[in-house]
């Protein structure tokens, strides 16, 4: 998942980036709210936002995101003060949580994990996942693209469904093998690649829904998910 760090302290941005990436997140950073609004990408999963920034404040940026840009990306405010008035202002502008400086990295990681768990599209109880023209029905094991049926093997279905259940999450070949072939010994990484290639081929012009990032694994971008029916 991708996290935007907005803070005017370069050292703090570097420390947060290093530790978040070590925890498996992708990060990018901005030194001001104005810069953050310019570089904000649609696939951002969460923003760590300093309240006291040069120029536009963190509260103003959050208010702008919610009211003008209609962006509901989760926001955790970083603040040196946490009076009742600050909390009320932060939550009224669309903040999801507060972390008071100085803070421990363990606290930051725990808060991020809790927010993402609460705000990520539910996937455990979902029966139908709709990704643009692709519709995956867990119960009937049916898949359609642009309303036309697509025939996948059971393992291909399970692989595609696993990726679609967790948009924006990278799965290495080893992780996919442990999930989908845990009872089958001697499965090699190439097996995953072959199944992915077959799925992409059957998705036709929408083959690029399944992407791969070197060193991380396969994933379906979070911003590709348009609707979940439960």
């Amino acid at each position: 998942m991708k996290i935007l760090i907005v803070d005017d302290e370069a050292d703090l941005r570097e420390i947060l980036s290093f530790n978040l990436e070590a925890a498996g997140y992708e990060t990018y950073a901005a030194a001001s709210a104005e810069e953050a609004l310019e570089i904000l990408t649609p696939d951002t999963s969460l923003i760590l936002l300093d309240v006291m920034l040069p120029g536009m404040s963190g509260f103003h940026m959050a208010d702008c995101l919610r009211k003008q840009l209609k962006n509901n990306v989760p926001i955790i405010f970083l603040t040196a003060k946490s009076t009742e008035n600050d909390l009320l202002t932060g939550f009224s502008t669309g903040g999801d949580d507060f972390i008071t400086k100085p803070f421990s990295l363990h606290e930051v990681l725990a808060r991020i994990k809790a927010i993402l768990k609460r705000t990520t599209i539910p996937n455990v109880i979902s029966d139908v996942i709709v990704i643009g023209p692709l519709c995956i029905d867990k119960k009937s094991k049916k898949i359609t693209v642009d309303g036309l049926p697509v025939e996948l093997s059971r393992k291909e279905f399970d692989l595609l469904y696993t990726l679609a259940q967790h948009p924006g999450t990278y799965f290495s070949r080893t992780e996919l093998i442990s999930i989908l072939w845990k009872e089958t010994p001697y499965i090699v990484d190439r097996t995953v690649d072959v199944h992915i290639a077959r799925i992409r081929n059957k998705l036709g012009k929408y083959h690029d829904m399944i992407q791969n990032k070197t060193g991380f694994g396969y994933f379906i971008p979070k911003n590709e998910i348009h609707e979940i029916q439960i």
Side-chain angles (χ1 to χ4, degrees):
M1 292 185 175
K2 193 172 185 178
I3 296 176
L4 172 59
I5 302 166
V6 188
D7 198 291
D8 59 337
E9 297 181 41
D11 289 344
L12 183 56
R13 292 198 305 273
E14 185 176 348
I15 290 172
L16 286 171
S17 293
F18 177 83
N19 285 276
L20 288 176
E21 289 180 4
Y25 298 102
E26 181 181 353
T27 68
Y28 64 123
S32 68
E34 291 84 354
E35 180 187 357
L37 290 173
E38 288 183 2
I39 67 172
L40 181 65
T41 59
D43 59 342
T44 300
S45 302
L46 182 142
I47 300 175
L48 286 177
L49 179 57
D50 188 23
V51 172
M52 301 298 292
L53 291 167
M56 181 188 297
S57 71
F59 289 152
H60 189 177
M61 175 181 164
D63 193 57
C64 177
L65 280 172
R66 299 298 192 239
K67 294 181 179 179
Q68 296 180 34
L69 301 180
K70 307 300 181 183
N71 190 316
N72 292 318
V73 60
I75 296 172
I76 298 180
F77 286 116
L78 305 177
T79 178
K81 54 181 181 178
S82 57
T83 65
E84 182 177 355
N85 186 58
D86 292 324
L87 294 175
L88 290 174
T89 301
F91 288 124
S92 69
T93 57
D96 294 273
D97 201 355
F98 272 84
I99 298 178
T100 305
K101 297 179 179 180
F103 48 73
S104 72
L105 293 169
H106 289 297
E107 179 186 8
V108 174
L109 290 171
R111 296 288 186 93
I112 289 174
K113 185 175 181 180
I115 291 292
L116 291 177
K117 184 177 181 180
R118 187 169 74 239
T119 59
T120 298
I121 297 173
N123 52 64
V124 176
I125 60 174
S126 61
D127 292 326
V128 180
I129 299 178
V130 179
I131 311 173
L134 174 66
C135 179
I136 308 173
D137 190 321
K138 180 183 179 182
K139 284 187 176 180
S140 66
K141 305 299 181 185
K142 292 181 179 179
I143 292 179
T144 59
V145 175
D146 282 337
L148 299 175
V150 174
E151 296 297 328
L152 296 183
S153 70
R154 177 58 184 269
K155 198 62 71 175
E156 290 166 358
F157 178 94
D158 291 343
L159 178 51
L160 180 59
Y161 191 82
T162 297
L163 295 175
Q165 270 191 306
H166 306 278
T169 299
Y170 298 101
F171 287 86
S172 68
R173 294 173 179 85
T174 300
E175 288 172 331
L176 290 171
I177 288 173
S178 68
I179 295 170
L180 302 172
W181 285 274
K182 57 186 177 182
E183 297 179 356
T184 307
Y186 311 119
I187 295 297
V188 297
D189 290 354
R190 179 62 180 162
T191 301
V192 176
D193 297 334
V194 169
H195 279 74
I196 291 290
R198 289 173 179 168
I199 296 170
R200 283 173 168 166
N201 183 58
K202 293 176 181 180
L203 292 178
K205 63 181 179 180
Y206 302 109
H207 62 89
D208 59 353
M209 280 187 175
I210 301 178
Q211 298 184 18
N212 182 34
K213 185 171 182 178
T214 303
F216 289 85
Y218 290 105
F219 69 104
I220 292 178
K222 188 174 182 179
N223 60 321
E224 291 286 350
I225 300 294
H226 296 294
E227 180 183 358
I228 290 279
Q229 301 174 4
I230 299 174

